[in-house]
Amino acid sequence: MTRAAAIDCGTNSIRLLIADITTPADGGPVTVTDVVREMRIVRLGQGVDATGRFAEEALERTFAACDDYAALIREHAPDAVRFVATSASRDAANREEFFAGIRARFGVEAEVISGLEEAELSFLGATVGVQAAADPSPAGPFLVMDLGGGSTELVTGDATAGAALSGAHSMNIGCVRLTERHLHSDPPTDAEVAATIADIDAAYDAARADVDIAGVRTVIGVAGTITTVTAAMLGLDDYVPAAIHAAWLPAEELAATCRELLHMTREKRAGLPFMHPGRVDVIGSGALIFSRLIERITADAGTNPEIYASETDILDGIAIGLASRTNRSAGTAATRTATDS
């Protein structure tokens, strides 16, 4: 067992996971046992597009959250720590101020990872998490869909932890982007919905060059849009992660739920007990993206894939990958010590 601390710092939020990762020597399934799981809205990306710099108040919010996270890490004494940062951290003119602040608080460098590594970590976190929680455990090949505000990633691969991906593609369609582009009415008009579907289809058609859908047996959806749609489908009285994680989503029921969310007024969405206020105006677009992509994927897979929601994602992937790296380093050190003696 390895205790790992993973920090994922995005444009809007910063998240911490301290977890005990067990990797059986016989090649059995990896297990992740949460010790601490935290999320704070810090909006590190506030104004970066306009100014090219991190705003001082955004850095202050981020560093305040980091101070709390560093205290939790000291308290729970993980074997290793990894901090993964948003791509904006690479481009901001005052990025060194951010990097120095992270270094001072955690004793590690903030890493801005590639799109491929991000896909690999998201795939790892989602597949390991759902395989451990679902009964029966779903079968691969898998497709992981990460539906965000500005983009949606499709990643395919086998279910085995550490297996190479077979394909990955990032589409410039997300719940915020397509709401701002098309869905201006409340509720949206048929013409607005049609224009949104046209964008979704064009993005998916381009993704097919990188992602082979044929033969996919399980689709796992991650991120807030998909988990919120799941809460709606389950009829929850509150947002309950334990009920949402690894929930099986029958395709017809999922499609009906997505249609209902799309055509609700914003006032009615705001009254749903599980709805985060920040999702009220964009969940219709997100639901449309989710349902349309599932429709296209099901048609192309030829397998009627099972669909699951996941509360585990890139954060869990960071922790699992860190534990694997730590174990390899410890094994190498032990070998060297034995040889030297």
Side-chain angles (χ1 to χ4, degrees), residues 139-143 156 212-219 297 301-306:
F142 280 64
L143 183 150
T156 53
D212 184 8
I213 305 299
V216 165
R217 296 180 63 188
T218 301
V219 176
I297 289 164
T303 55
N304 289 319
E306 303 285 352

Side-chain angles (χ1 to χ4, degrees), residues 5 21 65 101 107-108 144 148 181 228 239 243 266 284 311 313-314 320:
I21 314 295
V108 300
V144 172
R181 186 181 297 172
T228 300
Y239 188 94
R266 292 176 183 175
E311 286 279 349
D313 53 19
I314 187 172
I320 295 167

